[in-house]
Amino acid sequence: MTTAAQPPAGVTVRVPGKINLELVVGPRRDDGYHELATVFHAVSIHDHVTVVRAEEWSVRTTGDLAARVPDDESNLALRAAHALAERHAVEEPVAITIDKQIPVAGGMAGGSADAAAALVACDALWGLGLPREDLVSVAAALGSDVPFLLYGGTAVGSGRGERLAPVLSRGELHWVLWASHDSGLSTAAVYAEADRLRGEATVTEPEPSDDLLVALRTMDTAAVGACLRNDLQQAALSLAPELADVIEAGRELGVEGAVVSGSGPTVAFLVASSAAALDLSVGLAARGPEGDIRRTVGPVMGAQVVGPPVPSGPTLHIG
Ligand code: ATP
C-alpha cells in the first residue's frame, strides 16, 4: 500500500540557547561589527517555534517572557520566515508561535535561536528540502549567532561569529545558569561599553585558546572551567554591577568556573556533576541575588523538527 501524505499544516521546531565558553573580541571593523573568536556551546534550555499555514504573516509568543518579545516585523523569527520565502519565491504566509523559555536579551541568543528554528520549520512546511548548508547563508544575513543555532553542539565561531568549525568533545558539561528576572542588556550597548573601556589600547586579531579546545576534547571539567573567558564581561559588569555579586555567590558556593554569557546578563556556572548542579542551584536560590536559576547541560543539538507535524487533513491511501 502506498501512502501519499498531505503537506503538513504545521511544523514545530525545538531550538536551544547558547552560552559562549570563550569570547575573544578583536578590533572593530569598518562595518561596525567586531572581529571575534568564540566557542559557542548549545545548552538544554529550549524555545519551541511552530509555523502553520495562514492567510497572513504573523508572530506571537507564549510563556512568562512573552511580554518582552516583539510581535511585529522586528521579530527575528518572522524576519527569518520572510527571508526564506523571498529567497525561494514562496508565497505561502505562515502564523508563527514561539514558546519562549530562553532568557530574553540575556546573552543566550534567544532571538537568533527563534530565527534558526523558523528557517528549519518553514523549510519543512514548504517542502523545500534544503540542506542545513543552504540555510546558513540566509541565517548569516539575519544575525551572527543564527548559523550556530542551526547546528548546535560546540563550535568555534570566527568573523563576526558566523563562520563555524565544529569542536570535538565527548560527554556532557553541567551548568547552572543565573538569569535576570526582568531586565536584559542590549548587545550594542555592551559592545559600546567594551570599546569605551578599552580606550586607545591596541587590540590584536582574536584567536580561540588551544587550552580550551584540548580541555573540551578530553572533557576535563576543571580545565574547561579554568579556560572560560569573555572579553565582554567587564563591560557587562560595568553596566550591571549586581552581576559581580552573582559571580561571587557562585564562587563562594563552589564551582569549576563562572562566566557571563555573551553580552550578558546571564551568568553560567560550570559544575562537576548533576548533583553538584542541584546543590549550587539550591545554594544560589537561598543566598541571592534574586534571579531565575536553571540547571542545564551541553552540548545539545541545534534546531530540530520535533514530533510528527500537525496533520492537515485525512491521509490519502492509494492501492
Ligand atoms: P544576542 O546574544 O544574540 O545579542 P540576546 O540573547 O542578548 O541576543 P535576545 O533574546 O535575542 O537577546 O533579544 C534581543 C532583543 O531582540 C530583545 O530585546 C527583543 O526586543 C528582540 N527580539 C526580536 N525577536 C526576538 C525573539 N524571537 N525572541 C527574543 N527577542 C527578540
Side-chain angles (χ1 to χ4, degrees):
M1 186 169 71
T2 318
T3 301
Q6 299 272 14
V11 174
T12 298
V13 168
R14 187 174 72 159
V15 67
K18 62 82 184 160
I19 58 178
N20 302 78
L21 306 183
E22 183 173 53
L23 179 52
V24 188
V25 180
R28 194 163 180 274
R29 311 190 310 197
D30 292 342
D31 63 5
Y33 288 100
H34 291 74
E35 199 65 25
L36 302 180
T38 189
V39 177
F40 291 117
H41 183 67
V43 293
S44 60
I45 290 185
H46 293 98
D47 283 356
H48 286 80
V49 175
T50 299
V51 297
V52 296
R53 294 174 198 284
E55 294 290 314
E56 290 185 355
W57 299 91
S58 68
V59 63
R60 71 184 187 104
T61 303
T62 61
D64 293 347
L65 302 171
R68 295 173 55 200
V69 179
D71 59 4
D72 57 20
E73 297 289 323
S74 69
N75 189 295
L76 270 171
L78 186 57
R79 286 178 46 204
H82 277 310
L84 191 67
E86 199 168 305
R87 171 78 65 99
H88 293 277
V90 175
E91 289 179 11
E92 294 179 35
V94 291
I96 303 174
T97 305
I98 301 168
D99 172 20
K100 173 67 66 189
Q101 298 297 325
I102 303 171
V104 178
M108 291 188 68
S112 301
D114 297 342
L119 292 178
V120 172
C122 288
D123 171 65
L125 185 77
W126 295 330
L128 299 174
L130 298 168
R132 291 285 149 125
E133 303 83 71
D134 286 11
L135 294 178
V136 165
S137 65
V138 186
L142 291 160
S144 311
D145 295 342
V146 185
F148 172 69
L149 277 320
L150 288 173
Y151 292 102
T154 306
V156 173
S158 56
R160 54 187 171 82
E162 84 288 12
R163 289 204 305 269
L164 298 171
V167 170
L168 292 178
S169 66
R170 57 194 171 97
E172 285 185 330
L173 293 172
H174 295 270
W175 301 92
V176 174
L177 303 183
W178 180 97
S180 172
H181 268 321
D182 44 20
S183 61
L185 282 174
S186 141
T187 304
V190 174
Y191 272 98
E193 179 67 359
D195 286 339
R196 191 188 70 79
L197 292 171
R198 273 177 173 173
E200 299 300 312
T202 314
V203 183
T204 53
E205 286 303 314
E207 302 261 359
S209 93
D210 285 339
D211 288 351
L212 175 59
L213 300 181
V214 170
L216 286 167
R217 208 172 302 141
T218 53
M219 257 327 173
D220 177 339
T221 308
V224 172
C227 291
L228 298 175
R229 163 182 173 181
N230 181 356
D231 284 359
L232 294 178
Q233 181 154 320
Q234 208 191 339
L237 291 178
S238 163
L239 297 177
E242 67 279 12
L243 294 183
D245 298 336
V246 176
I247 293 171
E248 194 188 325
R251 290 201 192 282
E252 278 176 18
L253 290 161
V255 293
E256 303 290 338
V259 72
V260 169
S261 178
S263 53
T266 303
V267 178
F269 295 106
L270 180 62
V271 291
S273 65
S274 56
L278 183 57
D279 283 351
L280 179 64
S281 53
V282 171
L284 277 177
R287 188 187 176 291
E290 210 175 292
D292 283 332
I293 296 157
R294 307 212 226 162
R295 284 173 285 144
T296 181
V297 295
V300 296
M301 287 190 296
Q304 301 290 323
V305 174
V306 287
V310 179
S312 59
T315 306
L316 182 63
H317 295 285
I318 303 170

